[in-house]
Amino acid sequence: ADVWALSSYTENFGIAVVEALACGLPSVISPAVNLAPEIERERAAVVAELRPEAFAEAIGDLLTDEGRRQELATAARAFAKGYDWPEIAPRLCELYRAVAAGGP
């Protein structure tokens, strides 16, 4: 795909978004995707308003800008690495240890 898009009105986590980013797909998502603030902060995808015109414009802009797609692909892969098991598993183990020990 040249561009991947999720124009969701409600998306609690958006695993499909992380999968698309892991593949390096330049993406356009809505602010209703729960990860949108983090994704936008890392400039890993375009977060576009859910108005049809605005969303379509964001997709069109990416389709005509190869350089921007390349930038997003690089940032997308870097963002998605934070959700790889080698990154998540140690944090989960530490959380479970803390809970088992009566901590937070």
Side-chain angles (χ1 to χ4, degrees), residues 12-77:
N12 64 346
F13 176 75
I15 191 68
V17 174
V18 176
E19 290 171 342
L21 298 178
C23 291
L25 290 173
S27 300
V28 179
I29 63 171
S30 71
V33 174
N34 193 42
L35 291 173
E38 292 85 1
I39 290 170
E40 188 170 43
R41 183 180 60 244
E42 298 299 319
R43 299 178 187 181
V46 174
V47 178
E49 294 179 43
L50 267 173
R51 292 181 302 103
E53 300 82 9
F55 210 83
E57 182 178 349
I59 293 170
D61 287 349
L62 281 184
L63 287 172
T64 60
D65 189 341
E66 174 68 27
R68 179 75 173 123
R69 289 196 313 270
Q70 289 298 320
E71 291 171 6
L72 286 173
T74 300
R77 285 187 188 101

Side-chain angles (χ1 to χ4, degrees), residues 79-95:
F79 179 86
K81 281 186 179 184
Y83 292 90
D84 282 349
W85 278 114
E87 294 292 323
I88 293 173
R91 295 187 310 208
L92 283 175
C93 288
E94 189 56 40
L95 175 65

